[in-house]
Amino acid sequence: MTMITVQLNGQSCQLADGSSLQDLLQAAGLAGRRLAVEVNLDIVPRAQHATHGLRDGDRIEVVQAIGGG
């Protein structure tokens, strides 16, 4: 199995080649949360997480929405 390396919030992560953004979020324990996700400085809407394929060297930033007031 071929692996790719991406950066998730500055930390190196290895995934199987062909992994989606949703696969990464599930592996990181972030699936199902209210998140803002950016890949290579472009925001990826939640509806596209399952279909957005990741490539070797991608830089992903995830920010979790916190409620309060």
Side-chain angles (χ1 to χ4, degrees):
M1 177 184 297
T2 304
M3 302 297 283
I4 63 170
T5 302
V6 299
Q7 296 289 316
L8 174 60
N9 290 348
Q11 300 294 317
S12 182
C13 296
Q14 287 202 331
L15 300 167
D17 191 19
S19 292
S20 69
L21 183 54
Q22 182 174 332
D23 295 331
L24 173 64
L25 295 175
Q26 287 178 334
L30 298 171
R33 298 184 184 186
R34 294 178 53 192
L35 304 170
V37 182
E38 195 176 86
V39 177
N40 300 325
L41 304 177
D42 292 322
I43 294 175
V44 179
R46 178 184 294 271
Q48 295 176 11
H49 289 183
T51 59
H52 186 94
L54 296 174
R55 295 185 302 264
D56 194 51
D58 279 349
R59 299 179 69 83
I60 300 97
E61 295 293 327
V62 177
V63 178
Q64 186 170 347
I66 303 290

